[in-house]
Amino acid sequence: MLSTVYPHWFILLCIFTAAIFAVLLYYKNYFRTGKSMFSYPSWIMLITRFIVIALISFFLLSPFLKKNFRKDEKPLLIMAVDNSSSILLNKDSLYYTKTFHEDILELKEQLKSKYNLAEYTFGSRVRPGINLDFKDPRTNMYELLDHIYEQNANKNMGAIIIASDGNYNDGRDPMVLVNDFRTPFYTIALGDTTPAADLIIKEVRHNQIAYLGNVVPIRISVNAEKFKNSNIELSLTNNKRVIKNWTTGINHDNFSQTIDYQFDAKESGLQHFQLRIKEKDGEISFVNNYKDFYIDVLESRKHIIVIANSPHPDINALRHSIGRNDNYKLESVLAENLSRDPNRFQDQLKNADLLILHQLPSNEFPLYEQFANFELNKTPLLLILGSQVSFQKLNNLNLGIKVQHRNNAFEQVYAVPNSAFSYFSLNEKLKPIIQDFPPLFSPFGKYSISLEHEVLFSQKIGQVKSPYPLMVFMQDVDKRIGVICGEGIWRWPLAEYRIKNQQDFFNDLVLKSIQYISIKEDRRYFRLKDFSGNFYEDQSVIVGAELYNKSYEKLQGAKISLDLFHEGNEMNFQFIETDDGYRANLGYLKAGKYAFRAATLSSGSKQQINGEFMVKKVELEFIRTLANHQLLYNIAEENNGEMIYPDQLSDIENLIDQLDLKNRTSFEIESRDLIELKWLFFLIIALLTAEWFFRKFFGSY
């Protein structure tokens, strides 16, 4: 059916327009020759021109062809099979690698003959088709259901078949998504729910980062199944050197124990540890008798010094939040002591990573010399302004913020979050609580900021929002400065605890502010980018890099090499250029500790980065060896399906046939723009050519 985007009566307008233009064009021939414009051959040319103008006018109405057609959609079945390695952790492993594989493929072909079938293999990730080797080191059932829903929600889904042992160790609980489906689930319960004899290192808890000279707590959880009246012999090695042995008696068949150990970090660098349970005859698997882990021992923590005009509860609130993070070492100094004996603190201040100045400079302690040193050392600063600050002295320091304090007055100021703040992000779920925080006592006056900056919180006085900052972060050429324009911040964590019974938002605010201010800009010409240093063996290891010239402009077209070292072997890679720098894909690497050397030439000099990273084993599948058939039963029961066992695979076809699934009929409209028909274009060209030929041949118009 032919239609247009405009009312149909516009077609009459096109015809009328074409007739007027054609008649006017050929009517002048009548005055010149006296021949009627309807005589031969004038009428042929007139009609030709009429058709051409009518067609072109008609195309201005955006005409299109509309076609209604019926679509019959067969029921869609979804079949997904678990490819995780835990499937083979039972006495029937040979059955799953051979017979079950053949049976599931046979079932797939039977269902394909009657229904549309979408096939998936899942484990670490979801991929199309059924290709089983049972080597996936993780199981993410939530991702599977999410993928099925996203890809097939609008299709005629008849049933979903999932073959799995029910163990998931990655992603969220799949039951969260089950209720979103209105489709029966048929689950095939793989694996074994009967405990097998096994010794397992279930979990190791430890800090990822420690500091030289600290004691690092390590908590080890071990399990023993069906080894009653025997012993667990456990050893811990550090860099292949045994540092501790344990022997633990097993007093019942389902035995578990937690062991705590204190490691003394005496050597810096990436420390490799391995736990090992001595193997026993009869274990179903020896893989879970071993566990490797790494602790990065750093030489020093970031050093933060609080310099206060006088003792104040604000300092205790900051100390409490900063003390929650082991990356920071915090100490306090009174301005009085600093003024009396500046040499005593000279080295500490020079090496500080961040200085928090509470109500300084003041009339009593202007600290001119110290502020000059802070500027010389490019030390990041966090200023907390209050009633003891001398604003005249503050303005004279030219730190980037000036306050024209009026009448020595202070006012109660509430915090208003700035949605455009981009330097760092706070927890969005907790951010609204700032509206319930008590006010700070802020200097009344006019604020001006001369550096590049962003305001995190602006001021609200009563119900009136002010353009002035309450908490602002400034970026100088080679350091960062934060300013809290008011005192009394100690009341914020108390208010949060009263409202939420926690202090998460305040702690997040303090730690992220400290982290942002204390970061010193990387001025190296060659640097790594987005490199975590921690990978898993089922992840591709990608190293990013950036290269700059002496004006800190990004360089393009450079050749950058990377040499990778592991267990005496060396591998070589080349970086490729990307839109935002350079990248080297090292692929999938086996678990272990790796060292690397990246090198390039920049401005005629060699630039080099040395580093190390670790690739961890993924052992999630070996922690729980028992199948979780209860989860499979719950999934099937929730959606009016059924759980069956592998020896009942032949029943699935009958169960689905009993659903009496119907084809879904829909009517769809297909439209196509008329201008896409190329033959109409050639028709118009042909008509114009014919008219031109007649005019030339007969000499008309």
Side-chain angles (χ1 to χ4, degrees):
M1 185 173 68
L2 184 63
S3 185
T4 71
V5 297
Y6 296 95
H8 287 170
W9 64 266
F10 272 49
I11 299 175
L12 297 176
L13 185 60
C14 293
I15 296 172
F16 180 74
T17 302
I20 293 295
F21 272 90
V23 168
L24 289 176
L25 189 63
Y26 285 95
Y27 189 68
K28 64 180 180 179
N29 194 48
Y30 168 74
F31 290 102
R32 189 173 73 247
T33 64
K35 294 181 180 180
S36 171
M37 62 181 174
F38 297 109
S39 63
Y40 179 83
S42 295
W43 68 270
I44 296 177
M45 292 184 288
L46 185 145
I47 292 174
T48 302
R49 177 57 64 102
F50 166 76
I51 294 173
V52 169
I53 296 175
L55 282 174
I56 293 175
S57 302
F58 182 61
F59 280 129
L60 295 176
L61 303 182
S62 300
F64 58 90
L65 292 172
K66 186 166 60 175
K67 179 183 178 182
N68 297 328
F69 64 94
R70 170 176 168 167
K71 181 180 179 182
D72 290 323
E73 183 182 0
K74 290 169 65 175
L76 173 67
L77 302 185
I78 309 292
M79 177 181 283
V81 183
D82 188 346
N83 191 53
S84 61
S85 53
S86 63
I87 301 294
L88 302 183
L89 293 179
N90 58 76
K91 61 182 181 297
D92 296 324
S93 57
L94 187 60
Y95 161 77
Y96 287 111
T97 55
K98 184 172 177 60
T99 308
F100 172 76
H101 195 172
E102 295 171 352
D103 291 347
I104 204 74
L105 293 178
E106 182 180 347
L107 174 62
K108 179 187 78 170
E109 296 302 322
Q110 292 171 354
L111 296 176
K112 256 187 176 181
S113 63
K114 296 182 179 181
Y115 309 96
N116 290 332
L117 185 67
E119 313 155 27
Y120 300 101
T121 303
F122 71 98
S124 298
R125 56 188 177 87
V126 180
R127 53 263 197 202
I130 296 178
N131 301 291
L132 303 177
D133 58 12
F134 302 110
K135 291 183 178 180
D136 279 23
R138 314 169 186 260
T139 309
N140 191 335
M141 293 184 70
Y142 181 91
E143 183 187 29
L144 169 69
L145 296 183
D146 185 56
H147 183 84
I148 291 173
Y149 190 84
E150 290 291 329
Q151 297 294 320
N152 306 288
N154 296 322
K155 297 179 182 178
N156 185 23
M157 278 198 295
I160 299 174
I161 304 164
I162 298 178
S164 173
D165 61 0
N167 287 327
Y168 68 92
N169 42 49
D170 196 15
R172 299 172 61 189
D173 183 351
M175 290 299 297
V176 174
L177 284 181
V178 168
N179 290 329
D180 292 345
F181 291 86
R182 297 292 179 265
T183 306
F185 277 78
Y186 293 92
T187 54
I188 304 170
L190 310 181
D192 195 348
T193 57
T194 304
D198 203 11
L199 299 175
I200 305 169
I201 301 174
K202 186 176 182 180
E203 185 180 27
V204 180
R205 292 188 179 184
H206 59 91
N207 294 332
Q208 299 291 335
I209 295 174
Y211 294 92
L212 194 64
N214 283 9
V215 174
V216 185
I218 300 173
R219 173 162 289 187
I220 307 160
S221 297
V222 295
N223 284 16
E225 295 283 352
K226 293 192 172 182
F227 278 106
K228 185 179 179 180
N229 298 326
S230 62
N231 294 324
I232 294 178
E233 298 178 50
L234 178 68
S235 64
L236 175 64
T237 62
N238 171 219
N239 295 333
K240 299 183 179 180
R241 185 183 74 255
V242 177
I243 58 174
K244 184 67 176 178
N245 289 301
W246 295 271
T247 300
T248 303
I250 304 172
N251 52 25
H252 51 83
D253 279 336
N254 184 14
F255 175 81
S256 63
Q257 185 172 9
T258 299
I259 301 170
D260 289 317
Y261 177 68
Q262 304 289 324
F263 171 70
D264 191 5
K266 296 180 179 179
E267 184 179 346
S268 62
L270 198 60
Q271 302 296 310
H272 175 208
F273 296 85
Q274 185 183 68
L275 280 165
R276 175 181 177 270
I277 295 179
K278 187 176 180 180
E279 300 164 359
K280 290 184 180 293
D281 293 338
E283 284 192 71
I284 193 169
S285 171
F286 294 137
V287 175
N288 48 23
N289 289 46
Y290 300 84
K291 185 173 284 291
D292 292 87
F293 62 97
Y294 297 82
I295 298 176
D296 195 3
V297 179
L298 305 180
E299 292 189 1
S300 63
R301 296 181 287 180
K302 282 193 173 181
H303 190 193
I304 300 174
I305 299 178
V306 179
I307 306 175
N309 187 74
S310 61
H312 196 283
D314 281 352
I315 300 170
N316 286 333
L318 294 174
R319 180 188 294 277
H320 181 267
S321 294
I322 297 172
R324 298 173 62 87
N325 192 319
D326 288 337
N327 291 341
Y328 302 121
K329 176 185 177 183
L330 181 69
E331 63 176 300
S332 302
V333 178
L334 284 175
E336 180 182 4
N337 297 333
L338 181 59
S339 297
R340 185 186 304 122
D341 189 4
N343 294 330
R344 174 185 168 190
F345 302 98
Q346 185 174 355
D347 290 340
Q348 293 169 265
L349 296 177
K350 184 177 180 180
N351 297 320
D353 295 290
L354 172 67
L355 295 175
I356 300 176
L357 303 173
H358 190 271
Q359 307 222 34
L360 290 169
S362 64
N363 285 321
E364 189 176 0
F365 305 111
L367 303 182
Y368 289 132
E369 182 181 346
Q370 285 76 15
F371 272 104
N373 290 332
F374 302 159
E375 178 65 25
L376 183 65
N377 296 329
K378 309 301 180 186
T379 309
L381 304 175
L382 174 60
L383 307 177
I384 302 176
L385 309 182
S387 58
Q388 301 171 34
V389 172
S390 170
F391 290 97
Q392 181 180 357
K393 291 179 172 59
L394 174 69
N395 296 340
N396 291 337
L397 291 173
N398 294 318
L399 295 177
I401 185 170
K402 292 187 177 182
V403 182
Q404 296 180 11
H405 194 200
R406 297 174 182 171
N407 304 322
N408 290 324
F410 287 80
E411 52 193 349
Q412 294 189 359
V413 173
Y414 293 89
V416 178
N418 174 20
S419 59
F421 184 79
S422 63
Y423 286 174
F424 55 84
S425 59
L426 298 172
N427 191 319
E428 291 296 330
K429 293 182 180 179
L430 296 176
K431 193 181 289 185
I433 199 174
I434 192 71
Q435 301 172 2
D436 299 318
F437 279 2
L440 302 185
F441 292 93
S442 183
F444 173 69
K446 183 179 179 181
Y447 295 74
S448 60
I449 301 174
S450 58
L451 297 176
E452 177 187 340
H453 68 281
E454 283 194 14
V455 175
L456 176 59
F457 300 131
S458 57
Q459 299 182 11
K460 186 175 77 169
I461 306 166
Q463 298 301 317
V464 180
K465 293 183 180 179
S466 166
Y468 298 136
L470 183 60
M471 193 166 182
V472 62
F473 296 89
M474 302 179 293
Q475 176 73 60
D476 204 347
V477 176
D478 40 23
K479 71 174 179 180
R480 295 171 177 176
I481 301 174
V483 184
I484 301 174
C485 303
E487 62 179 291
I489 202 170
W490 62 271
R491 297 192 295 167
W492 284 9
L494 297 181
E496 183 181 2
Y497 190 83
R498 174 177 53 82
I499 298 168
K500 293 281 189 180
N501 202 33
Q502 62 182 29
Q503 297 178 0
D504 291 352
F505 177 79
F506 183 77
N507 292 332
D508 191 42
L509 170 64
V510 172
L511 290 174
K512 287 189 175 177
S513 299
I514 294 297
Q515 182 183 35
Y516 172 77
I517 299 169
S518 62
I519 291 176
K520 295 183 179 179
E521 188 175 357
D522 192 345
R523 305 297 289 177
R524 293 175 298 170
Y525 300 125
F526 182 37
R527 65 187 78 160
L528 297 184
K529 177 185 177 184
D530 300 331
F531 183 68
S532 67
N534 291 286
F535 302 92
Y536 285 99
E537 60 185 347
D538 62 340
Q539 294 176 330
S540 184
V541 177
I542 296 176
V543 182
E546 293 177 329
L547 184 62
Y548 296 86
N549 61 19
K550 292 185 178 180
S551 298
Y552 288 97
E553 299 169 329
K554 283 190 176 180
L555 288 177
Q556 298 177 334
K559 293 183 178 180
I560 305 176
S561 63
L562 186 143
D563 301 322
L564 187 65
F565 306 95
H566 176 64
E567 295 181 349
N569 298 317
E570 180 178 344
M571 294 172 279
N572 308 108
F573 300 87
Q574 293 293 324
F575 283 79
I576 61 172
E577 190 170 354
T578 62
D579 292 339
D580 57 350
Y582 298 85
R583 187 181 72 168
N585 189 340
L586 312 188
Y588 297 93
L589 302 174
K590 69 177 184 178
K593 180 179 176 181
Y594 291 80
F596 67 88
R597 179 178 61 239
T600 186
L601 287 176
S602 174
S603 302
S605 61
K606 184 176 181 180
Q607 303 288 332
Q608 183 171 301
I609 299 175
N610 296 315
E612 55 186 17
F613 63 87
M614 57 185 174
V615 177
K616 302 177 184 177
K617 285 184 179 179
V618 182
E619 299 169 328
L620 299 172
E621 293 293 310
F622 300 95
I623 293 174
R624 181 185 175 97
T625 57
L626 295 182
N628 184 6
H629 290 175
Q630 184 62 49
L631 175 66
L632 300 176
Y633 176 82
N634 292 342
I635 291 174
E637 183 72 14
E638 191 72 26
N639 283 59
N640 300 316
E642 190 172 331
M643 185 184 81
I644 66 170
Y645 293 93
D647 58 0
Q648 299 172 298
L649 276 179
S650 57
D651 296 343
I652 286 188
E653 186 177 1
N654 293 331
L655 290 170
I656 293 176
D657 288 342
Q658 291 172 16
L659 296 174
D660 194 22
L661 301 175
K662 305 292 185 183
N663 288 359
R664 184 170 71 180
T665 301
S666 59
F667 294 90
E668 297 184 7
I669 298 175
E670 184 182 78
S671 62
R672 182 182 183 187
D673 289 337
L674 202 63
I675 201 169
E676 293 180 2
L677 301 177
K678 294 181 180 179
W679 65 268
L680 287 174
F681 168 76
F682 291 110
L683 174 63
I684 293 173
I685 296 298
L687 290 172
L688 290 173
T689 303
E691 183 194 8
W692 175 83
F693 175 78
F694 274 102
R695 284 195 289 107
K696 288 293 184 182
F697 188 79
F698 292 104
S700 288
Y701 110 49

